[in-house]
Structure formats: structure tokens, C-alpha cells
Amino acid sequence: MKDKVSQNIQDLNFLAEKLARNKSLIKFNNPNESEPESWSLAYALLELENSCSKFTKELLPKLVSENLSEDEINDLLHEIGEELRHILYHIKDSKFYSYLDS
């Protein structure tokens, strides 16, 4: 678990530093905010990766392949909805992708 956390932090730092050099992102920085857009976007992208992975590798295969009761299907659909809500949150939270929320 500790190695995974360390790797996640390394990935976040690497991606944030890479994005910090991007002129398209720099214009979204606000000196009144504690976090530059590169950091926010890096975090959002990694969170999106996790949610998309959970949806494609766990939730959808379970829905497709297992013999589920109606209640289990409803629970699974709700869980999928929560992952989609998480994805939408990170899309809407990003200044760079704000045009997607119009």
C-alpha cells in the first residue's frame, strides 16, 4: 500500500511539473488561489484515470458477466452512477476543461 501511495505522489508531481510548463495552462493560474491549474489538472486527470479504470475493469464487466439479481443490478448501476459523478466533478472542477460544461 505504501508503495502505491508513493507511486501516486510521484505520478502527481511528475505530471503537475510537466503541465506547469504548458503555456495553455499557465493562463488559468490565479495568484489568489493556493494551487496552480497544472496541479489541479494533474490531480483531476489521475482521479479520472482511477474512475475510468474502475468502470471498465470492475463495474462494467461485473454487470455484463455475472448472474445478478435485480437488487444487485440496481446497486451496481448506482455504483456506476457514483463513479460517473466523480468523473463529472473532476471535469467541472478543471478550468482548462471548463468549455465542456457549457
Side-chain angles (χ1 to χ4, degrees):
M1 180 74 167
K2 185 177 180 184
D3 291 338
K4 183 175 170 97
V5 171
S6 296
Q7 185 61 50
N8 289 346
I9 292 169
Q10 288 176 352
D11 291 347
L12 179 59
N13 286 329
F14 176 80
L15 187 54
E17 288 174 16
K18 184 175 191 173
L19 294 175
R21 297 186 298 270
N22 184 290
K23 292 175 187 164
S24 297
L25 282 176
I26 292 171
K27 66 183 179 184
F28 291 102
N29 289 344
N30 181 342
N32 297 325
E33 294 178 357
S34 61
E35 207 170 75
E37 179 64 7
S38 58
W39 182 267
S40 297
L41 186 58
Y43 179 74
L45 291 172
L46 293 174
E47 286 293 302
L48 290 170
E49 177 188 31
N50 290 334
S51 284
C52 290
S53 179
K54 183 174 181 180
F55 173 73
T56 59
K57 293 179 181 176
E58 180 185 331
L59 300 174
L60 189 57
K62 191 177 206 180
L63 184 63
V64 170
S65 67
E66 293 188 17
N67 186 14
L68 302 171
S69 70
E70 187 170 343
D71 286 341
E72 290 170 322
I73 291 171
N74 288 335
D75 289 345
L76 194 51
L77 290 173
H78 180 64
E79 193 172 349
I80 289 169
E82 289 306 308
E83 286 305 319
L84 294 174
R85 181 194 315 262
H86 188 240
I87 290 169
L88 283 172
Y89 168 80
H90 284 291
I91 291 170
K92 290 179 178 185
D93 191 48
S94 165
K95 292 176 188 157
F96 185 78
Y97 289 118
S98 63
Y99 69 91
L100 295 174
D101 191 30
S102 56

XYZ file of all heavy atoms in Angstrom:
839
model
N 0.832 -1.195 0.000
C 0.000 0.000 0.000
C 0.869 1.249 0.000
O 0.602 2.183 -0.735
C -0.936 -0.046 1.209
C -1.840 1.124 1.323
S -3.145 1.030 0.101
C -4.228 2.256 0.698
N 1.911 1.247 0.826
C 2.787 2.403 0.908
C 3.454 2.668 -0.442
O 3.580 3.813 -0.855
C 3.829 2.199 1.998
C 4.694 3.410 2.221
C 5.662 3.185 3.345
C 6.512 4.426 3.542
N 7.530 4.215 4.563
N 3.859 1.609 -1.146
C 4.492 1.781 -2.450
C 3.525 2.402 -3.451
O 3.923 3.232 -4.262
C 5.011 0.453 -2.983
C 6.199 -0.059 -2.183
O 6.876 0.752 -1.526
O 6.441 -1.265 -2.237
N 2.255 2.003 -3.399
C 1.252 2.559 -4.296
C 1.022 4.040 -4.007
O 0.922 4.853 -4.928
C -0.055 1.781 -4.197
C -1.114 2.254 -5.159
C -2.335 1.375 -5.113
C -3.454 1.992 -5.881
N -3.621 1.540 -7.213
N 0.974 4.402 -2.736
C 0.810 5.804 -2.352
C 2.011 6.609 -2.829
O 1.860 7.692 -3.401
C 0.617 5.943 -0.829
C 0.670 7.399 -0.403
C -0.700 5.311 -0.402
N 3.191 6.086 -2.618
C 4.409 6.765 -3.066
C 4.406 6.938 -4.573
O 4.775 7.999 -5.086
C 5.652 5.989 -2.646
O 5.757 5.936 -1.252
N 3.990 5.912 -5.284
C 3.938 5.987 -6.744
C 2.907 7.015 -7.193
O 3.154 7.775 -8.123
C 3.611 4.613 -7.354
C 3.652 4.604 -8.872
C 5.031 4.954 -9.417
O 6.037 4.395 -8.999
N 5.074 5.884 -10.350
N 1.757 7.050 -6.531
C 0.730 8.038 -6.871
C 1.243 9.464 -6.668
O 0.976 10.350 -7.487
C -0.538 7.817 -6.043
C -1.282 6.565 -6.451
O -1.032 5.985 -7.499
N -2.201 6.149 -5.603
N 1.967 9.686 -5.586
C 2.529 11.011 -5.312
C 3.571 11.358 -6.367
O 3.602 12.490 -6.871
C 3.117 11.071 -3.883
C 1.978 10.989 -2.860
C 3.935 12.338 -3.677
C 2.438 10.777 -1.438
N 4.407 10.398 -6.717
C 5.414 10.632 -7.756
C 4.749 10.948 -9.097
O 5.176 11.866 -9.799
C 6.328 9.413 -7.907
C 7.288 9.233 -6.770
C 8.102 7.952 -6.907
O 7.861 7.122 -7.775
N 9.082 7.797 -6.033
N 3.719 10.191 -9.442
C 2.992 10.434 -10.689
C 2.368 11.824 -10.693
O 2.436 12.545 -11.694
C 1.899 9.383 -10.910
C 2.437 7.998 -11.206
O 3.654 7.855 -11.486
O 1.642 7.040 -11.142
N 1.770 12.192 -9.585
C 1.140 13.502 -9.469
C 2.174 14.619 -9.612
O 1.970 15.574 -10.373
C 0.406 13.617 -8.134
C -0.290 14.933 -7.854
C -1.339 15.254 -8.917
C -0.939 14.898 -6.478
N 3.279 14.509 -8.915
C 4.332 15.521 -9.004
C 4.895 15.615 -10.418
O 5.083 16.714 -10.945
C 5.453 15.240 -8.003
C 5.056 15.560 -6.589
O 4.255 16.451 -6.346
N 5.597 14.823 -5.645
N 5.169 14.474 -11.030
C 5.715 14.458 -12.391
C 4.758 15.118 -13.364
O 5.152 15.979 -14.159
C 6.010 13.015 -12.818
C 6.477 12.917 -14.243
C 7.796 13.198 -14.578
C 5.594 12.554 -15.251
C 8.228 13.120 -15.892
C 6.016 12.475 -16.572
C 7.342 12.756 -16.892
N 3.500 14.733 -13.305
C 2.514 15.284 -14.230
C 2.287 16.768 -13.979
O 2.220 17.558 -14.933
C 1.194 14.505 -14.122
C 0.114 14.845 -15.127
C 0.615 14.734 -16.566
C -1.087 13.924 -14.923
N 2.195 17.176 -12.733
C 1.992 18.593 -12.414
C 3.163 19.438 -12.911
O 2.959 20.530 -13.469
C 1.797 18.777 -10.910
N 4.387 18.953 -12.734
C 5.558 19.690 -13.213
C 5.577 19.765 -14.738
O 5.928 20.801 -15.310
C 6.837 19.035 -12.692
C 7.048 19.263 -11.205
C 8.233 18.491 -10.646
O 9.085 18.010 -11.444
O 8.323 18.367 -9.422
N 5.192 18.694 -15.378
C 5.133 18.679 -16.843
C 4.086 19.677 -17.345
O 4.340 20.451 -18.267
C 4.795 17.266 -17.320
C 4.804 17.087 -18.801
C 4.577 15.623 -19.155
C 4.847 15.383 -20.611
N 4.800 13.966 -20.951
N 2.920 19.676 -16.726
C 1.845 20.578 -17.137
C 2.155 22.033 -16.793
O 1.678 22.949 -17.470
C 0.523 20.151 -16.487
C -0.034 18.804 -16.930
C -1.279 18.452 -16.121
C -0.323 18.782 -18.426
N 2.945 22.261 -15.763
C 3.279 23.628 -15.337
C 4.054 24.384 -16.410
O 4.070 25.616 -16.419
C 4.079 23.598 -14.038
N 4.668 23.669 -17.326
C 5.431 24.297 -18.409
C 4.563 24.582 -19.637
O 5.037 25.149 -20.604
C 6.611 23.408 -18.790
C 7.598 23.215 -17.668
C 8.833 22.461 -18.097
N 8.575 21.099 -18.553
C 8.575 20.015 -17.782
N 8.813 20.138 -16.491
N 8.359 18.819 -18.283
N 3.310 24.195 -19.568
C 2.416 24.352 -20.714
C 1.767 25.732 -20.701
O 1.060 26.094 -19.767
C 1.351 23.245 -20.675
C 0.461 23.279 -21.868
O -0.348 24.196 -22.018
N 0.591 22.287 -22.729
N 2.008 26.489 -21.770
C 1.502 27.866 -21.847
C -0.027 27.926 -21.830
O -0.605 28.889 -21.342
C 2.043 28.547 -23.094
C 3.528 28.784 -23.035
C 4.054 29.358 -24.327
C 5.572 29.418 -24.251
N 6.169 29.594 -25.552
N -0.675 26.910 -22.356
C -2.142 26.890 -22.361
C -2.718 26.782 -20.960
O -3.834 27.222 -20.709
C -2.662 25.721 -23.204
O -2.276 25.871 -24.539
N -1.973 26.182 -20.061
C -2.429 26.038 -18.672
C -2.060 27.228 -17.802
O -2.812 27.600 -16.900
C -1.847 24.775 -18.041
C -2.490 23.466 -18.419
C -1.745 22.319 -17.781
C -3.930 23.440 -18.017
N -0.908 27.804 -18.068
C -0.422 28.910 -17.240
C -1.434 30.043 -17.183
O -1.628 30.675 -16.140
C 0.948 29.406 -17.756
C 2.004 28.323 -17.525
C 1.354 30.709 -17.080
C 3.345 28.601 -18.187
N -2.134 30.277 -18.285
C -3.093 31.388 -18.313
C -4.268 31.175 -17.358
O -4.979 32.117 -17.038
C -3.593 31.635 -19.737
C -4.416 30.525 -20.322
C -4.799 30.831 -21.764
C -5.604 29.700 -22.348
N -5.896 29.919 -23.754
N -4.465 29.947 -16.876
C -5.546 29.669 -15.932
C -5.118 29.833 -14.479
O -5.942 29.723 -13.573
C -6.102 28.258 -16.146
C -6.854 28.101 -17.430
C -6.264 27.476 -18.517
C -8.144 28.585 -17.568
C -6.963 27.328 -19.707
C -8.845 28.455 -18.747
C -8.243 27.819 -19.832
N -3.844 30.077 -14.247
C -3.361 30.257 -12.871
C -3.925 31.544 -12.290
O -4.037 32.556 -12.973
C -1.840 30.292 -12.833
C -1.219 28.939 -13.105
O -1.886 27.916 -13.037
N 0.057 28.935 -13.421
N -4.268 31.480 -11.029
C -4.802 32.640 -10.327
C -3.952 32.860 -9.080
O -3.889 31.984 -8.219
C -6.263 32.388 -9.949
C -6.910 33.544 -9.245
O -6.245 34.428 -8.720
N -8.231 33.537 -9.213
N -3.287 34.024 -8.977
C -2.413 34.251 -7.817
C -3.160 34.254 -6.482
O -2.552 34.090 -5.429
C -1.790 35.626 -8.099
C -2.632 36.249 -9.147
C -3.326 35.150 -9.892
N -4.478 34.401 -6.517
C -5.267 34.386 -5.281
C -5.621 32.972 -4.827
O -6.200 32.798 -3.760
C -6.549 35.210 -5.457
C -6.255 36.665 -5.722
O -5.296 37.213 -5.191
N -7.053 37.280 -6.558
N -5.299 31.995 -5.638
C -5.571 30.596 -5.283
C -4.276 29.914 -4.884
O -3.208 30.208 -5.411
C -6.223 29.875 -6.463
C -7.603 30.413 -6.787
C -8.244 29.726 -7.987
O -7.598 28.863 -8.615
O -9.394 30.065 -8.292
N -4.382 28.993 -3.964
C -3.183 28.326 -3.437
C -2.610 27.289 -4.406
O -1.452 26.917 -4.272
C -3.514 27.645 -2.105
O -4.512 26.667 -2.299
N -3.389 26.868 -5.367
C -2.976 25.780 -6.243
C -2.964 26.233 -7.707
O -3.979 26.718 -8.206
C -3.994 24.653 -6.065
C -3.496 23.289 -6.342
C -4.536 22.264 -5.886
O -5.545 22.104 -6.566
O -4.307 21.658 -4.831
N -1.850 26.056 -8.408
C -1.854 26.382 -9.833
C -2.700 25.369 -10.619
O -2.912 24.242 -10.170
C -0.382 26.299 -10.232
C 0.271 25.475 -9.195
C -0.550 25.613 -7.944
N -3.175 25.777 -11.772
C -4.016 24.902 -12.586
C -3.295 23.619 -12.975
O -3.910 22.571 -13.067
C -4.499 25.640 -13.842
C -5.362 24.807 -14.773
C -6.695 24.339 -14.186
O -7.068 24.756 -13.073
O -7.368 23.548 -14.855
N -1.997 23.675 -13.149
C -1.254 22.462 -13.512
C -1.403 21.383 -12.435
O -1.572 20.205 -12.750
C 0.221 22.775 -13.737
O 0.793 23.344 -12.579
N -1.362 21.795 -11.189
C -1.518 20.849 -10.081
C -2.949 20.322 -10.036
O -3.175 19.120 -9.910
C -1.139 21.524 -8.770
C -1.233 20.603 -7.604
C -2.301 20.439 -6.785
C -0.247 19.686 -7.140
N -2.041 19.494 -5.829
C -0.785 19.007 -6.035
C 1.046 19.376 -7.560
C -0.074 18.039 -5.343
C 1.747 18.412 -6.862
C 1.194 17.754 -5.763
N -3.914 21.219 -10.163
C -5.330 20.814 -10.133
C -5.655 19.861 -11.273
O -6.343 18.850 -11.089
C -6.240 22.041 -10.237
O -6.053 22.888 -9.144
N -5.164 20.188 -12.465
C -5.445 19.345 -13.618
C -4.745 17.995 -13.515
O -5.330 16.960 -13.848
C -5.054 20.060 -14.914
C -5.421 19.336 -16.196
C -6.927 19.059 -16.278
C -4.970 20.132 -17.410
N -3.515 17.995 -13.033
C -2.801 16.728 -12.854
C -3.564 15.813 -11.905
O -3.758 14.626 -12.188
C -1.384 16.987 -12.329
N -4.011 16.371 -10.803
C -4.782 15.592 -9.833
C -6.082 15.081 -10.468
O -6.434 13.911 -10.328
C -5.079 16.429 -8.590
C -5.903 15.696 -7.564
C -5.339 14.694 -6.795
C -7.246 15.991 -7.379
C -6.090 13.997 -5.856
C -8.010 15.303 -6.448
C -7.427 14.308 -5.691
O -8.183 13.623 -4.781
N -6.767 15.961 -11.183
C -8.030 15.578 -11.821
C -7.815 14.458 -12.827
O -8.590 13.494 -12.865
C -8.659 16.789 -12.503
N -6.776 14.550 -13.636
C -6.523 13.524 -14.651
C -6.225 12.166 -14.018
O -6.698 11.129 -14.502
C -5.380 13.954 -15.569
C -5.693 15.135 -16.487
C -4.434 15.592 -17.214
C -6.803 14.795 -17.475
N -5.473 12.172 -12.941
C -5.183 10.902 -12.264
C -6.439 10.328 -11.598
O -6.641 9.109 -11.588
C -4.049 11.086 -11.258
C -2.687 11.400 -11.895
C -1.654 11.703 -10.817
C -2.214 10.272 -12.798
N -7.286 11.191 -11.061
C -8.556 10.730 -10.495
C -9.466 10.177 -11.595
O -10.158 9.165 -11.392
C -9.252 11.872 -9.754
C -8.620 12.216 -8.430
C -8.778 11.094 -7.414
O -9.921 10.709 -7.116
O -7.753 10.598 -6.930
N -9.465 10.824 -12.752
C -10.258 10.334 -13.882
C -9.755 8.962 -14.332
O -10.556 8.075 -14.634
C -10.198 11.324 -15.050
C -10.925 12.639 -14.825
C -10.589 13.631 -15.922
C -12.422 12.432 -14.743
N -8.450 8.804 -14.343
C -7.883 7.505 -14.706
C -8.385 6.414 -13.754
O -8.790 5.329 -14.186
C -6.359 7.554 -14.671
C -5.715 6.210 -14.970
C -4.222 6.200 -14.758
O -3.727 6.938 -13.878
O -3.557 5.427 -15.461
N -8.387 6.712 -12.463
C -8.847 5.727 -11.474
C -10.318 5.376 -11.667
O -10.699 4.198 -11.624
C -8.613 6.243 -10.056
C -7.155 6.286 -9.688
O -6.336 5.552 -10.217
N -6.802 7.179 -8.771
N -11.151 6.398 -11.867
C -12.581 6.139 -12.038
C -12.869 5.387 -13.333
O -13.694 4.465 -13.352
C -13.375 7.452 -12.027
O -13.485 7.931 -10.720
N -12.204 5.774 -14.405
C -12.411 5.090 -15.685
C -11.941 3.641 -15.604
O -12.591 2.739 -16.138
C -11.700 5.832 -16.814
S -12.458 7.413 -17.225
N -10.839 3.435 -14.937
C -10.321 2.085 -14.763
C -11.293 1.229 -13.947
O -11.568 0.079 -14.297
C -8.956 2.133 -14.078
O -8.459 0.838 -13.894
N -11.817 1.796 -12.870
C -12.779 1.058 -12.047
C -14.017 0.701 -12.866
O -14.527 -0.415 -12.784
C -13.174 1.863 -10.814
C -14.110 1.117 -9.887
C -14.386 1.869 -8.612
C -15.306 1.062 -7.704
N -15.601 1.770 -6.460
N -14.482 1.653 -13.675
C -15.663 1.402 -14.503
C -15.396 0.306 -15.530
O -16.176 -0.637 -15.652
C -16.114 2.688 -15.210
C -17.215 2.464 -16.201
C -18.506 2.205 -15.774
C -16.957 2.486 -17.561
C -19.524 1.970 -16.690
C -17.965 2.255 -18.476
C -19.250 1.995 -18.039
N -14.282 0.404 -16.253
C -14.027 -0.536 -17.347
C -13.504 -1.891 -16.884
O -13.779 -2.903 -17.532
C -13.028 0.054 -18.367
O -11.801 0.355 -17.712
C -13.589 1.285 -19.033
N -12.792 -1.930 -15.774
C -12.171 -3.182 -15.344
C -12.952 -3.921 -14.267
O -12.746 -5.110 -14.065
C -10.750 -2.924 -14.859
C -9.828 -2.485 -15.966
C -8.447 -2.216 -15.460
C -7.557 -1.758 -16.610
N -6.234 -1.394 -16.159
N -13.832 -3.217 -13.574
C -14.542 -3.839 -12.457
C -16.058 -3.792 -12.624
O -16.724 -4.840 -12.649
C -14.135 -3.133 -11.154
C -14.797 -3.679 -9.921
C -14.452 -2.845 -8.682
O -13.362 -2.240 -8.623
O -15.295 -2.811 -7.779
N -16.597 -2.590 -12.725
C -18.050 -2.431 -12.660
C -18.763 -2.946 -13.906
O -19.720 -3.716 -13.803
C -18.407 -0.967 -12.390
C -17.854 -0.402 -11.085
C -18.146 1.083 -10.980
C -18.413 -1.152 -9.895
N -18.334 -2.512 -15.079
C -19.000 -2.948 -16.304
C -18.857 -4.454 -16.539
O -19.855 -5.117 -16.842
C -18.505 -2.147 -17.511
C -19.274 -2.370 -18.802
C -20.758 -2.056 -18.632
C -18.684 -1.509 -19.913
N -17.662 -5.028 -16.370
C -17.567 -6.482 -16.520
C -18.471 -7.250 -15.553
O -19.047 -8.273 -15.921
C -16.086 -6.781 -16.242
C -15.390 -5.528 -16.594
C -16.341 -4.425 -16.193
N -18.596 -6.749 -14.340
C -19.473 -7.391 -13.364
C -20.920 -7.331 -13.833
O -21.658 -8.308 -13.754
C -19.323 -6.695 -12.010
C -19.964 -7.403 -10.867
C -19.682 -6.633 -9.577
C -19.722 -7.547 -8.390
N -19.463 -6.829 -7.138
N -21.325 -6.178 -14.345
C -22.690 -6.007 -14.833
C -22.971 -6.913 -16.025
O -24.040 -7.505 -16.133
C -22.924 -4.534 -15.213
C -24.324 -4.150 -15.660
C -25.334 -4.369 -14.540
C -24.342 -2.687 -16.094
N -21.992 -7.079 -16.890
C -22.167 -7.855 -18.111
C -22.106 -9.360 -17.869
O -22.887 -10.120 -18.422
C -21.095 -7.451 -19.163
C -21.077 -8.395 -20.339
C -21.333 -6.028 -19.623
N -21.192 -9.789 -17.018
C -20.894 -11.216 -16.969
C -21.522 -12.006 -15.837
O -21.673 -13.207 -15.945
C -19.384 -11.424 -16.933
O -18.857 -10.952 -15.723
N -21.874 -11.366 -14.768
C -22.371 -12.119 -13.624
C -23.886 -12.262 -13.655
O -24.596 -11.420 -14.184
C -21.933 -11.442 -12.323
C -20.438 -11.512 -12.108
C -20.020 -11.025 -10.744
O -20.872 -10.934 -9.845
O -18.817 -10.740 -10.576
N -24.352 -13.353 -13.064
C -25.779 -13.571 -12.908
C -26.218 -12.805 -11.659
O -25.963 -13.232 -10.544
C -26.057 -15.079 -12.769
C -27.533 -15.373 -12.754
O -28.358 -14.521 -13.099
N -27.878 -16.580 -12.348
N -26.856 -11.674 -11.875
C -27.184 -10.787 -10.770
C -28.688 -10.687 -10.569
O -29.457 -10.731 -11.533
C -26.634 -9.379 -11.043
C -25.140 -9.256 -11.282
C -24.790 -7.857 -11.750
C -24.375 -9.588 -10.017
N -29.087 -10.500 -9.336
C -30.489 -10.242 -9.037
C -30.813 -8.798 -9.425
O -29.922 -7.977 -9.663
C -30.766 -10.445 -7.542
O -30.153 -9.409 -6.790
N -32.081 -8.482 -9.450
C -32.489 -7.112 -9.788
C -31.914 -6.106 -8.781
O -31.460 -5.027 -9.165
C -34.009 -7.002 -9.842
C -34.486 -5.662 -10.357
C -35.973 -5.622 -10.643
O -36.607 -6.685 -10.753
O -36.483 -4.495 -10.741
N -31.928 -6.458 -7.504
C -31.359 -5.575 -6.478
C -29.858 -5.385 -6.683
O -29.341 -4.269 -6.524
C -31.621 -6.120 -5.079
C -33.071 -5.955 -4.640
O -33.776 -5.117 -5.239
O -33.483 -6.654 -3.696
N -29.153 -6.448 -7.028
C -27.715 -6.345 -7.269
C -27.429 -5.478 -8.496
O -26.483 -4.688 -8.493
C -27.099 -7.733 -7.445
C -27.064 -8.538 -6.171
C -26.683 -9.989 -6.386
O -27.106 -10.591 -7.411
O -25.955 -10.518 -5.525
N -28.258 -5.616 -9.520
C -28.108 -4.769 -10.708
C -28.334 -3.312 -10.337
O -27.557 -2.430 -10.730
C -29.070 -5.216 -11.838
C -28.627 -6.561 -12.394
C -29.142 -4.165 -12.952
C -29.624 -7.194 -13.358
N -29.376 -3.041 -9.568
C -29.649 -1.663 -9.143
C -28.501 -1.095 -8.312
O -28.113 0.063 -8.492
C -30.964 -1.589 -8.375
C -32.167 -1.767 -9.274
O -32.104 -1.493 -10.475
N -33.263 -2.227 -8.710
N -27.950 -1.900 -7.409
C -26.810 -1.455 -6.598
C -25.604 -1.153 -7.485
O -24.915 -0.144 -7.298
C -26.428 -2.511 -5.562
C -27.445 -2.637 -4.442
O -28.309 -1.727 -4.296
O -27.380 -3.645 -3.712
N -25.368 -2.008 -8.459
C -24.244 -1.826 -9.364
C -24.442 -0.587 -10.242
O -23.505 0.196 -10.458
C -24.062 -3.075 -10.219
C -22.775 -3.231 -10.992
C -21.560 -3.037 -10.100
C -22.724 -4.592 -11.656
N -25.655 -0.386 -10.726
C -25.943 0.814 -11.514
C -25.744 2.075 -10.678
O -25.234 3.093 -11.170
C -27.365 0.761 -12.076
C -27.610 -0.270 -13.175
C -29.093 -0.334 -13.521
C -26.774 0.031 -14.404
N -26.102 2.015 -9.409
C -25.881 3.147 -8.514
C -24.379 3.397 -8.330
O -23.919 4.549 -8.355
C -26.560 2.909 -7.166
C -26.372 4.014 -6.194
N -26.862 5.285 -6.396
C -25.718 4.055 -5.016
C -26.523 6.054 -5.391
N -25.832 5.330 -4.530
N -23.631 2.329 -8.163
C -22.181 2.460 -8.002
C -21.550 3.043 -9.271
O -20.649 3.897 -9.198
C -21.561 1.096 -7.670
C -20.150 1.194 -7.181
C -19.596 -0.131 -6.667
O -20.357 -1.106 -6.481
O -18.377 -0.169 -6.462
N -22.025 2.628 -10.432
C -21.559 3.207 -11.696
C -21.898 4.696 -11.733
O -21.077 5.529 -12.124
C -22.169 2.466 -12.904
C -21.556 1.067 -13.018
C -21.976 3.256 -14.198
C -22.256 0.148 -14.013
N -23.101 5.041 -11.304
C -23.509 6.437 -11.255
C -22.596 7.276 -10.375
O -22.276 8.425 -10.710
N -22.173 6.710 -9.253
C -21.279 7.446 -8.360
C -19.907 7.661 -8.998
O -19.281 8.712 -8.820
C -21.150 6.735 -7.011
C -22.418 6.826 -6.177
C -22.894 8.254 -5.971
O -22.090 9.107 -5.524
O -24.068 8.542 -6.278
N -19.429 6.679 -9.749
C -18.165 6.865 -10.476
C -18.331 7.936 -11.549
O -17.443 8.777 -11.745
C -17.681 5.559 -11.109
C -17.111 4.569 -10.134
C -15.973 5.117 -9.282
O -15.094 5.854 -9.779
O -15.945 4.793 -8.069
N -19.474 7.934 -12.233
C -19.730 8.969 -13.244
C -19.826 10.344 -12.596
O -19.339 11.338 -13.147
C -21.006 8.642 -14.021
C -20.942 7.385 -14.887
C -22.313 7.082 -15.490
C -19.883 7.508 -15.968
N -20.418 10.419 -11.406
C -20.488 11.687 -10.671
C -19.073 12.176 -10.337
O -18.759 13.359 -10.466
C -21.293 11.532 -9.387
C -21.413 12.832 -8.594
C -21.903 12.629 -7.170
N -23.015 11.747 -7.025
C -24.292 12.133 -6.909
N -24.583 13.412 -6.942
N -25.249 11.251 -6.755
N -18.226 11.259 -9.925
C -16.846 11.589 -9.604
C -16.116 12.117 -10.850
O -15.368 13.101 -10.785
C -16.146 10.346 -9.047
C -14.784 10.597 -8.518
N -13.674 9.981 -9.030
C -14.334 11.385 -7.518
C -12.608 10.376 -8.371
N -12.977 11.237 -7.448
N -16.342 11.476 -11.983
C -15.745 11.923 -13.246
C -16.237 13.333 -13.587
O -15.437 14.209 -13.913
C -16.074 10.922 -14.371
C -15.300 9.622 -14.144
C -15.784 11.518 -15.745
C -15.740 8.466 -15.022
N -17.538 13.551 -13.497
C -18.095 14.873 -13.804
C -17.533 15.953 -12.874
O -17.247 17.073 -13.307
C -19.620 14.853 -13.697
C -20.355 14.204 -14.855
C -21.840 14.077 -14.531
C -20.147 15.000 -16.133
N -17.395 15.612 -11.603
C -16.838 16.580 -10.654
C -15.466 17.050 -11.118
O -15.175 18.253 -11.132
C -16.740 15.972 -9.246
C -15.920 16.844 -8.333
C -16.486 17.964 -7.741
C -14.571 16.580 -8.107
C -15.735 18.800 -6.925
C -13.817 17.411 -7.301
C -14.395 18.508 -6.710
O -13.645 19.337 -5.917
N -14.603 16.116 -11.487
C -13.246 16.492 -11.867
C -13.203 17.224 -13.204
O -12.344 18.085 -13.405
C -12.322 15.273 -11.851
C -11.961 14.886 -10.461
N -11.144 15.650 -9.654
C -12.339 13.833 -9.705
C -11.018 15.091 -8.476
N -11.737 13.980 -8.474
N -14.112 16.912 -14.093
C -14.191 17.658 -15.348
C -14.631 19.094 -15.062
O -14.030 20.053 -15.540
C -15.143 16.973 -16.342
C -14.536 15.643 -16.816
C -15.440 17.888 -17.533
C -15.491 14.769 -17.610
N -15.677 19.244 -14.259
C -16.197 20.582 -13.953
C -15.242 21.394 -13.096
O -15.232 22.625 -13.177
C -17.552 20.463 -13.249
C -18.653 19.983 -14.158
C -19.966 19.867 -13.403
C -21.078 19.437 -14.323
N -22.382 19.430 -13.646
N -14.445 20.742 -12.276
C -13.512 21.434 -11.395
C -12.313 21.999 -12.150
O -11.651 22.902 -11.678
C -13.039 20.477 -10.297
C -12.279 21.180 -9.201
O -12.775 22.224 -8.705
O -11.185 20.705 -8.837
N -12.066 21.475 -13.328
C -10.923 21.911 -14.124
C -11.235 23.196 -14.879
O -12.237 23.290 -15.583
C -10.563 20.810 -15.128
O -9.714 21.309 -16.117
N -10.376 24.168 -14.738
C -10.538 25.402 -15.515
C -10.208 25.154 -16.972
O -10.840 25.692 -17.864
C -9.639 26.501 -14.946
C -10.060 26.957 -13.584
C -9.079 27.967 -13.040
C -9.420 28.266 -11.598
N -8.296 28.768 -10.857
N -9.202 24.320 -17.220
C -8.785 24.053 -18.581
C -9.904 23.412 -19.404
O -10.081 23.721 -20.574
C -7.548 23.143 -18.580
C -6.984 22.908 -19.956
C -6.218 23.889 -20.566
C -7.221 21.732 -20.619
C -5.704 23.681 -21.838
C -6.704 21.512 -21.883
C -5.932 22.494 -22.495
N -10.667 22.532 -18.789
C -11.757 21.858 -19.494
C -13.121 22.487 -19.225
O -14.164 21.865 -19.445
C -11.783 20.370 -19.137
C -10.628 19.596 -19.729
C -9.702 18.961 -18.912
C -10.467 19.524 -21.097
C -8.642 18.268 -19.462
C -9.407 18.835 -21.648
C -8.487 18.201 -20.829
O -7.440 17.521 -21.371
N -13.138 23.719 -18.771
C -14.403 24.378 -18.446
C -15.338 24.488 -19.656
O -16.550 24.529 -19.496
C -14.151 25.758 -17.847
O -13.504 26.588 -18.794
N -14.787 24.507 -20.843
C -15.635 24.585 -22.039
C -16.521 23.348 -22.197
O -17.537 23.407 -22.892
C -14.777 24.793 -23.289
C -13.920 23.600 -23.665
C -14.402 22.631 -24.538
C -12.649 23.433 -23.135
C -13.623 21.537 -24.886
C -11.861 22.353 -23.472
C -12.351 21.402 -24.349
O -11.586 20.316 -24.678
N -16.187 22.265 -21.548
C -17.005 21.054 -21.630
C -18.298 21.163 -20.830
O -19.228 20.403 -21.033
C -16.223 19.842 -21.125
C -15.007 19.450 -21.944
C -14.240 18.338 -21.248
C -15.403 19.043 -23.352
N -18.350 22.137 -19.939
C -19.504 22.297 -19.056
C -20.413 23.436 -19.528
O -20.993 24.140 -18.745
C -19.034 22.563 -17.623
C -20.166 22.482 -16.619
O -21.123 21.721 -16.848
O -20.098 23.195 -15.608
N -20.538 23.562 -20.830
C -21.387 24.648 -21.326
C -22.627 24.125 -22.006
O -22.818 23.003 -22.241
C -20.602 25.532 -22.283
O -20.055 24.770 -23.337
